Coordinates of all heavy atoms in Angstrom, one line a residue:
Chain B
I357 N -5.5 -35.6 89.7 CA -6.1 -36.1 88.5 C -5.5 -35.1 87.4 O -5.9 -34.0 87.4 CB -7.6 -36.0 88.5 CG1 -8.1 -36.8 89.7 CG2 -8.2 -36.4 87.2 CD1 -9.5 -36.5 90.1
N358 N -4.7 -35.7 86.5 CA -4.3 -34.8 85.4 C -4.2 -35.7 84.1 O -4.2 -36.9 84.1 CB -2.9 -34.1 85.7 CG -1.8 -35.1 85.6 OD1 -1.5 -35.7 84.6 ND2 -1.1 -35.2 86.8
N359 N -4.1 -34.9 83.0 CA -4.3 -35.5 81.7 C -3.1 -36.4 81.3 O -3.2 -37.1 80.3 CB -4.6 -34.4 80.7 CG -5.0 -34.9 79.4 OD1 -5.7 -35.9 79.3 ND2 -4.7 -34.2 78.3
G360 N -2.0 -36.2 81.9 CA -0.8 -37.0 81.5 C 0.5 -36.2 81.6 O 1.5 -36.6 81.2
G361 N 0.3 -35.0 82.2 CA 1.5 -34.2 82.5 C 2.1 -33.4 81.4 O 3.1 -32.7 81.5
G362 N 1.4 -33.4 80.2 CA 1.9 -32.5 79.1 C 1.6 -31.1 79.5 O 0.5 -30.7 79.9
E363 N 2.6 -30.2 79.4 CA 2.5 -28.8 79.9 C 1.3 -28.1 79.2 O 1.2 -28.1 78.0 CB 3.8 -28.1 79.7 CG 4.8 -28.4 80.8 CD 6.1 -27.9 80.6 OE1 6.9 -28.5 79.7 OE2 6.5 -26.9 81.2
Y364 N 0.5 -27.4 80.0 CA -0.6 -26.6 79.6 C -1.8 -27.4 79.1 O -2.8 -26.9 78.7 CB -0.3 -25.5 78.6 CG 1.0 -24.8 79.0 CD1 2.1 -24.7 78.0 CD2 1.3 -24.4 80.2 CE1 3.3 -24.1 78.4 CE2 2.5 -23.8 80.6 CZ 3.5 -23.7 79.6 OH 4.6 -23.1 80.0
R365 N -1.7 -28.7 79.1 CA -2.9 -29.5 78.9 C -3.0 -30.5 80.0 O -3.3 -31.7 79.7 CB -3.0 -30.1 77.5 CG -1.7 -30.8 77.0 CD -2.0 -31.5 75.7 NE -0.8 -32.2 75.3 CZ -0.8 -33.1 74.3 NH1 -1.9 -33.5 73.7 NH2 0.3 -33.7 74.0
E366 N -2.8 -30.1 81.2 CA -2.9 -31.0 82.3 C -4.4 -31.2 82.7 O -4.7 -32.2 83.3 CB -2.1 -30.4 83.5 CG -0.6 -30.6 83.4 CD 0.1 -29.4 83.0 OE1 -0.6 -28.5 82.4 OE2 1.3 -29.3 83.2
Y367 N -5.2 -30.2 82.4 CA -6.7 -30.4 82.7 C -7.2 -31.6 81.8 O -6.9 -31.6 80.6 CB -7.5 -29.2 82.4 CG -7.2 -28.0 83.2 CD1 -7.7 -26.7 82.8 CD2 -6.5 -28.1 84.4 CE1 -7.4 -25.6 83.6 CE2 -6.3 -26.9 85.2 CZ -6.7 -25.7 84.8 OH -6.5 -24.6 85.6
I368 N -8.0 -32.5 82.4 CA -8.5 -33.6 81.6 C -9.6 -33.0 80.7 O -10.1 -32.0 81.0 CB -9.0 -34.7 82.5 CG1 -10.0 -34.2 83.6 CG2 -7.9 -35.4 83.2 CD1 -10.7 -35.3 84.4
W369 N -9.9 -33.8 79.7 CA -10.8 -33.2 78.6 C -12.2 -32.8 79.1 O -12.7 -31.8 78.6 CB -10.8 -34.1 77.4 CG -11.5 -35.5 77.6 CD1 -10.9 -36.6 77.8 CD2 -12.9 -35.8 77.5 NE1 -11.8 -37.7 77.9 CE2 -13.0 -37.1 77.8 CE3 -14.0 -35.0 77.3 CZ2 -14.3 -37.8 77.8 CZ3 -15.3 -35.6 77.3 CH2 -15.4 -37.0 77.6
P370 N -12.8 -33.5 80.0 CA -14.2 -33.1 80.4 C -14.1 -31.7 81.0 O -15.1 -31.0 81.0 CB -14.6 -34.1 81.5 CG -13.7 -35.3 81.3 CD -12.4 -34.8 80.8
I371 N -13.0 -31.3 81.6 CA -12.8 -29.9 82.1 C -12.5 -28.9 81.1 O -13.0 -27.9 80.9 CB -11.8 -29.9 83.3 CG1 -12.3 -30.8 84.4 CG2 -11.5 -28.5 83.7 CD1 -11.3 -31.1 85.5
M372 N -11.5 -29.3 80.2 CA -11.0 -28.4 79.2 C -12.1 -28.1 78.2 O -12.1 -27.1 77.5 CB -9.8 -29.0 78.5 CG -8.9 -28.0 77.8 SD -8.4 -26.7 78.9 CE -7.6 -25.6 77.7
I373 N -13.1 -29.1 78.0 CA -14.1 -28.8 77.0 C -14.9 -27.6 77.4 O -15.4 -26.9 76.6 CB -14.9 -30.1 76.8 CG1 -15.6 -30.1 75.4 CG2 -16.0 -30.2 77.9 CD1 -16.1 -31.4 75.0
L374 N -15.1 -27.4 78.7 CA -15.8 -26.2 79.2 C -15.1 -24.9 78.7 O -15.7 -24.0 78.2 CB -15.9 -26.2 80.7 CG -16.6 -27.3 81.4 CD1 -16.5 -27.1 82.9 CD2 -18.1 -27.3 81.0
F375 N -13.8 -25.0 78.8 CA -13.0 -23.8 78.4 C -13.2 -23.6 76.9 O -13.3 -22.5 76.4 CB -11.6 -24.0 78.8 CG -10.8 -22.7 78.8 CD1 -10.7 -21.9 79.9 CD2 -10.2 -22.3 77.6 CE1 -10.0 -20.7 79.9 CE2 -9.5 -21.1 77.6 CZ -9.4 -20.3 78.7
A376 N -13.1 -24.7 76.2 CA -13.2 -24.7 74.7 C -14.5 -24.1 74.3 O -14.6 -23.3 73.4 CB -12.9 -26.0 74.1
I377 N -15.6 -24.5 74.9 CA -16.9 -24.0 74.6 C -16.9 -22.5 74.8 O -17.4 -21.7 74.0 CB -18.0 -24.7 75.4 CG1 -18.1 -26.2 75.0 CG2 -19.4 -24.1 75.1 CD1 -19.0 -27.1 75.8
G378 N -16.3 -22.1 76.0 CA -16.2 -20.7 76.3 C -15.5 -19.9 75.1 O -16.0 -18.8 74.7
L379 N -14.4 -20.5 74.6 CA -13.7 -19.9 73.5 C -14.6 -19.8 72.3 O -14.6 -18.7 71.6 CB -12.5 -20.8 73.2 CG -11.2 -20.7 74.0 CD1 -10.2 -21.6 73.4 CD2 -10.7 -19.2 74.0
I380 N -15.3 -20.8 72.0 CA -16.1 -20.8 70.8 C -17.2 -19.8 70.9 O -17.5 -19.0 70.0 CB -16.7 -22.2 70.5 CG1 -15.5 -23.2 70.2 CG2 -17.7 -22.2 69.3 CD1 -15.9 -24.6 70.1
I381 N -17.9 -19.7 72.1 CA -18.9 -18.7 72.3 C -18.3 -17.3 72.1 O -18.9 -16.5 71.4 CB -19.5 -18.8 73.7 CG1 -20.3 -20.2 73.8 CG2 -20.4 -17.7 74.0 CD1 -20.9 -20.4 75.2
T382 N -17.2 -17.1 72.7 CA -16.5 -15.8 72.6 C -16.2 -15.4 71.1 O -16.4 -14.3 70.7 CB -15.2 -15.7 73.4 OG1 -15.5 -16.2 74.7 CG2 -14.7 -14.3 73.5

Side-chain angles (χ1 to χ4, degrees):
Chain B
I357 303 162
N358 73 61
N359 190 32
E363 280 170 284
Y364 317 128
R365 48 174 180 165
E366 284 100 340
Y367 294 164
I368 53 173
W369 66 263
I371 294 170
M372 200 57 189
I373 206 167
L374 298 177
F375 198 92
I377 295 171
L379 279 181
I380 294 169
I381 293 176
T382 310

